[in-house]
Amino acid sequence: MKINEIYGMSVVLQNAINIDPIHPSRKSETLFGGLASMSSQNSPETMGHLIQQKPYYLSAGDEIKLFEVAFAAKIPLMLKGPTGCGKTRFVEYMSYRLKRPLITVACHEDLFASDLLGRYLLKKDETVWVDGPLTRAVRMGAICYLDEIVEARKDTTVVIHPLTDNRRTLSIDKKGEIVQAHPDFMVVISYNPGYQSVLKDLKQSTRQRFVSLEFDYPEAQKEAEIVSHEGDIGMDTALKLVTLAGKIRNIREHGLTEGASTRLLIYAAQIIRRGIPVHEACRSAICFPLTDDARLQETLNDLVEDIF
Ligand SMILES: Nc1ncnc2c1ncn2[C@@H]1O[C@H](COP(=O)(O)OP(=O)(O)OP(=O)(O)O)[C@@H](O)[C@H]1O
Ligand SMILES: [Mg+2]
């Protein structure tokens, strides 16, 4: 386990690197044990970021094929879809499948270009350049997953433009360096169209650099399998949770901004498994997180009572 990396920001590595510039002192890495691919391109650095254990992922259609084709063709990929429907899990799975390291950056409005590119830091009496997560990914040939890209500042999205067209270069102005991307480098961005507003939408010049994959909640039988697997409960309860989610997703137009996610169903399953009565579990894990509106809560409660 490597713990000596400095980004001047927090780095949490869990099958990947997640950065949080707000808490520079919080830094930890969690790596899976064992070794994965031993290709000659894999430096010890690269190896450190490989996902070692196959993530559980149930495919919904031909998304695996499309990812593989995009990777081979060096085309960046955009994943669109509601929260908790499997985008991150899919990228983790593909990173494992393609034996490429994964570096994840959670984008937010205080994310500066330098947080991605790197910066000069004072070390003893010297200033040393420290690559940011994007630069590291570009050099090592990682899959760089920019989560919720719409949240990032405009200057941040512009940084990725030369990287996501046929140039595949990263320009580090502060260092006067132009880095040519490693042949295996790939950018994947995620984006929730549900949160879209006029102020926070991706520019055409950004979105037209990506092949796009639409994600949605899996179809009922598959979603129940996922809930059963991840929540470690029987299929009968999992199917009921999925039926409940289906009904909630149908009333979305009547005030809910987004339907119950697969993630919430898994939470419900996990707490049912640990002894919380079903009604209470559904309320705590599904109904309450979705809305504060008392009337909607009543409707959601009625649905729970109908199904369980
Ligand atoms: N197709 C799938 N196969 C296996 N697990 C899945 C699948 N879809 C969803 N899950 C489960 O649902 C959970 C939530 O999915 P995930 O974190 O990938 O959502 P997301 O789309 O990235 O959400 P967000 O936009 O909020 O980041 C996962 O941790 C996983 O347990
Ligand atoms: Mg995610």
Side-chain angles (χ1 to χ4, degrees):
M1 186 182 289
K2 295 187 285 84
I3 49 167
N4 297 327
E5 294 177 359
I6 308 157
Y7 288 126
M9 64 187 81
S10 149
V11 175
V12 179
L13 197 140
Q14 192 180 21
N15 317 346
I17 299 174
N18 297 293
I19 67 162
D20 175 7
I22 310 291
H23 305 289
S25 60
R26 208 191 295 154
K27 184 168 79 163
S28 70
E29 294 194 357
T30 315
L31 299 175
F32 292 117
L35 294 178
S37 159
M38 294 292 281
S39 106
S40 57
Q41 281 171 340
N42 285 328
S43 64
E45 168 86 321
T46 311
M47 299 292 290
H49 301 108
L50 283 169
I51 295 178
Q52 309 289 325
Q53 237 171 45
K54 186 177 181 180
Y56 168 76
Y57 180 71
L58 207 60
S59 169
D62 54 4
E63 74 277 19
I64 295 176
K65 177 83 186 146
L66 197 114
F67 195 113
E68 284 178 338
V69 167
F71 177 76
K74 302 189 185 349
I75 300 174
L77 195 64
M78 178 196 300
L79 309 181
K80 285 203 233 180
T83 184
C85 73
K87 301 183 293 296
T88 298
R89 179 60 64 90
F90 173 58
V91 177
E92 288 169 353
Y93 172 74
M94 291 310 298
S95 157
Y96 172 85
R97 194 176 158 106
L98 294 166
K99 298 186 172 58
R100 296 314 307 161
L102 175 62
I103 295 185
T104 301
V105 180
C107 298
H108 54 79
E109 56 193 12
D110 290 326
L111 186 82
F112 286 86
S114 59
D115 294 325
L116 290 176
L117 294 176
R119 50 172 64 106
Y120 283 105
L121 293 178
L122 203 59
K123 213 176 181 186
K124 294 187 181 146
D125 288 337
E126 269 184 295
T127 37
V128 288
W129 173 262
V130 180
D131 281 344
L134 180 62
T135 310
R136 286 159 46 74
V138 166
R139 292 194 208 275
M140 75 164 83
I143 294 170
C144 187
Y145 181 37
L146 303 173
D147 208 354
E148 276 305 327
I149 185 79
V150 196
E151 297 296 329
R153 295 161 56 94
K154 291 281 173 281
D155 66 326
T156 317
T157 43
V158 167
V159 163
I160 64 170
H161 278 191
L163 256 188
T164 47
D165 55 33
N166 60 330
R167 290 170 285 177
R168 284 174 61 86
T169 54
L170 184 68
S171 182
I172 309 176
D173 292 346
K174 277 190 194 155
K175 221 175 156 229
E177 185 184 357
I178 293 180
V179 188
Q180 185 66 50
H182 184 291
D184 291 339
F185 169 75
M186 180 178 188
V187 177
V188 180
I189 62 173
S190 78
Y191 166 59
N192 185 339
Y195 304 152
Q196 195 175 316
S197 73
V198 182
L199 282 176
K200 279 194 174 169
D201 194 7
L202 276 183
K203 290 197 297 190
Q204 283 293 330
S205 56
T206 306
R207 53 167 68 229
Q208 292 200 24
R209 285 178 146 78
F210 292 83
V211 162
S212 180
L213 250 178
E214 297 265 350
F215 269 69
D216 207 342
Y217 312 115
E219 51 98 354
Q221 187 65 30
K222 276 194 179 154
E223 190 168 29
E225 260 179 67
I226 294 167
V227 172
S228 168
H229 179 274
E230 299 285 277
D232 195 18
I233 53 160
M235 271 301 275
D236 47 343
T237 312
L239 273 166
K240 283 186 179 171
L241 287 170
V242 170
T243 308
L244 173 65
K247 297 216 187 275
I248 295 175
R249 288 164 193 164
N250 280 337
I251 61 159
R252 202 160 65 183
E253 299 81 57
H254 305 291
L256 285 179
T257 45
E258 205 147 312
S261 63
T262 309
R263 181 187 294 124
L264 284 186
L265 303 187
I266 294 169
Y267 286 173
Q270 286 171 340
I271 62 175
I272 290 168
R273 173 93 177 88
R274 283 168 177 75
I276 303 293
V278 169
H279 285 197
E280 197 183 329
C282 288
R283 275 196 293 273
S284 305
I286 303 175
C287 306
F288 292 147
L290 281 177
T291 177
D292 299 323
D293 184 295
R295 250 174 3 112
L296 267 170
Q297 282 296 346
E298 253 177 60
T299 313
L300 295 178
N301 256 331
D302 291 344
L303 291 177
V304 174
E305 310 266 329
D306 280 354
I307 290 165
F308 289 98

